[in-house]
Amino acid sequence: LFAEAGVQTNGNKRHQVLKIGHGGTLDSAATGVLVVGIGKGTKMLGTMLAGSKKYTAIGMLGKATDTLDATGKVTEEKPYDQVTKGDLENVLQKFTGDIMQVPPLYSALKKDGERLSTLMKRGEAVEAKPARPVRVYSLSLQQFQPPLFTLDVECGGGFYVRSLVNDIGKELCTCATVQELTRTRQGPFTLEEHALHEDKWTIDEIARSLEHCTALLPAEPARKKLKTEHPETAVICE
């Protein structure tokens, strides 16, 4: 594992340090791709994950929660019978492209060094962050079975699917919250091809995953910029 991660060993593995870092927070209630860098691969995460991300989200019309997903307390209920499939498809066009989005209060964003979600759970008053520009490359409706609807989303960094679903509900003159959220791609890594399921989180399986992902590494010029002597690798965990 040390060798695959590009870490030189001195023969005494008990005292070796293996650096590990992830390439972007995933909601605690969500599933899917979380890219993890091991060893010198941690230095590559920012470059390799600069592209878009893809999600599949199941939303529910008629209910809103404080966390904007199914884990929170219901804060509002509204009728949704008037919403048609056509209404929903038309609304999605307003949330495609470069838009402004207000991040949710329950998020990994920080205030005075602490996550907003941590402050909220302690009952402290937290002000909403101002709207910020985000990018939605594509947004499509895959299924509509009221009150549930399924979206495929491809977006850039800093985007919150929970805020999207909440805003869609408001635009439809009702409310909505995320019931299920799956990240299907992050950068070049996909759920189908690269994810290592948690029941295979062993040293041998992680090492094999690192080797498998070598094909996704940048070309030689990009590696030289990092001033490393050994190939870096990254591994996906689900």
Side-chain angles (χ1 to χ4, degrees):
L1 182 57
F2 280 110
E4 290 293 342
V7 178
Q8 291 182 331
T9 60
N10 58 17
N12 189 350
K13 294 184 179 180
R14 289 189 176 184
H15 296 92
Q16 289 294 318
V17 176
L18 190 60
K19 185 182 295 185
I20 297 176
H22 68 79
T25 303
L26 188 63
D27 283 355
S28 59
T31 61
V33 174
L34 176 66
V35 181
V36 177
I38 298 182
K40 292 184 178 180
T42 57
K43 297 180 180 179
M44 305 183 66
L45 293 173
T47 301
M48 294 192 70
L49 305 180
S52 63
K53 298 175 286 187
K54 282 189 175 182
Y55 295 88
T56 297
I58 299 178
M60 173 180 282
L61 295 169
K63 286 186 179 182
T65 68
D66 54 0
T67 61
L68 308 188
D69 64 16
T71 66
K73 298 179 180 178
V74 176
T75 58
E76 188 177 20
E77 293 189 53
K78 286 186 175 182
Y80 58 87
D81 297 342
Q82 75 281 5
V83 178
T84 66
K85 181 179 180 181
D87 293 334
L88 186 50
E89 289 175 330
N90 290 335
V91 163
L92 296 186
Q93 298 178 21
K94 298 182 180 181
F95 295 98
T96 304
D98 294 322
I99 63 173
M100 299 296 290
Q101 185 185 71
V102 177
L105 289 177
Y106 280 87
S107 70
L109 297 178
K110 294 183 178 181
K111 175 187 178 183
D112 299 328
E114 287 196 84
R115 292 186 175 187
L116 296 184
S117 56
T118 301
L119 297 174
M120 291 286 292
K121 290 175 182 178
R122 286 209 302 256
E124 297 186 23
V126 176
E127 292 184 5
K129 294 285 186 178
R132 58 186 186 177
V134 292
R135 177 168 295 181
V136 180
Y137 295 96
S138 64
L139 177 59
S140 59
L141 178 65
Q142 298 301 308
Q143 194 170 13
F144 183 63
Q145 294 181 323
L148 301 179
F149 60 95
T150 303
L151 302 175
D152 273 354
V153 186
E154 182 177 2
C155 59
F159 184 85
Y160 285 90
V161 178
R162 286 180 290 133
S163 290
L164 168 69
V165 171
N166 180 66
D167 291 341
I168 287 173
K170 292 178 179 178
E171 194 70 26
L172 292 168
C173 297
T174 180
C175 49
T177 188
V178 171
Q179 296 299 293
E180 295 181 25
L181 180 62
T182 304
R183 185 154 63 192
T184 58
R185 179 172 66 77
Q186 185 178 14
F189 301 98
T190 66
L191 184 60
E192 296 80 8
E193 298 179 45
H194 307 107
L196 184 64
H197 196 272
E198 59 185 309
D199 62 3
K200 295 185 177 180
W201 288 356
T202 65
I203 295 297
D204 290 339
E205 290 289 350
I206 292 173
R208 275 191 284 269
S209 181
L210 287 168
E211 185 177 5
H212 171 64
C213 292
T214 301
L216 297 176
L217 296 179
E220 186 68 22
R223 289 204 297 270
K224 287 183 178 179
K225 292 180 181 179
L226 293 173
K227 297 181 180 180
T228 58
E229 298 177 356
H230 304 276
E232 286 97 357
T233 50
V235 62
I236 293 291
C237 297
E238 180 188 358

